[in-house]
Structures are given as structure tokens and as C-alpha cells.
């Protein structure tokens, strides 16, 4: 005997539940990335000047974060208004 055609689309998560899930996963991954102990890191006063970047590491990845001065200063100016 053949089984009737069944649609499982009603079980698929909606846009907002997927959106929240993806953001929770991104938060968890980014929260796990920490600067290595003893490694030279940038200080907050160096960020607007882009004096140097920041290394973030976890068990599997190593990411070098370096900002964009144009975007930083443009956003700062927009916050003033």
C-alpha cells in the first residue's frame, strides 16, 4: 500500500523563529571568541584612530578585527544629531 502524500511545511520554522535562532548562534560563537592571554590587544582609545586591530580566537578560528575609520566617524557624527 502507498502512503498518502503528506506535507511537512507546517512543521518548518517560520522566519522570525529562524531569525532568532541564527542570532542566538552568532551571539554564542562571538561570545566564545576571546583575546589570547598575554597577546597584545588594542585599547578602546585606539579604536577611533584604527591604531591597531584586535585578535580574537577560539578553538577552531582566529579572526583579526580592524575597523573602518570612515564608518566609525560617520556613525559617531550621526549619533550627535
Amino acid at each position: 500500500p502507498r502512503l498518502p502524500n503528506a506535507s511537512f511545511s507546517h512543521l518548518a520554522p517560520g522566519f522570525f523563529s529562524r531569525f532568532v535562532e541564527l542570532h542566538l548562534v552568532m551571539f554564542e560563537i562571538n561570545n566564545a571568541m576571546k583575546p589570547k592571554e598575554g597577546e597584545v590587544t588594542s585599547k578602546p582609545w585606539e579604536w577611533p584612530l584604527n591604531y591597531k586591530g584586535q585578535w580574537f580566537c577560539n578553538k577552531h578560528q582566529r579572526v583579526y578585527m580592524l575597523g573602518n575609520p570612515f564608518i566609525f566617524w560617520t556613525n559617531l557624527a550621526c549619533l550627535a544629531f
Side-chain angles (χ1 to χ4, degrees), residues 32-65:
M33 298 186 106
K34 306 286 183 198
K36 279 188 168 180
E37 198 170 315
E39 194 167 305
V40 177
T41 58
S42 61
K43 306 210 178 356
W45 63 268
E46 295 172 330
W47 299 342
L49 305 173
N50 265 351
Y51 183 66
K52 63 181 152 181
Q54 177 99 27
W55 282 105
F56 284 93
C57 308
N58 65 12
K59 292 180 182 177
H60 308 289
Q61 298 170 327
R62 189 168 181 179
V63 178
Y64 186 70
M65 306 263 189

Side-chain angles (χ1 to χ4, degrees), residues 7 17 20 24 26 42 52 54 56 61-62 66-67 69 81:
S7 174
S17 60
V20 169
L24 289 173
M26 285 188 287
S42 61
K52 63 181 152 181
Q54 177 99 27
F56 284 93
Q61 298 170 327
R62 189 168 181 179
L66 182 63
F81 295 106

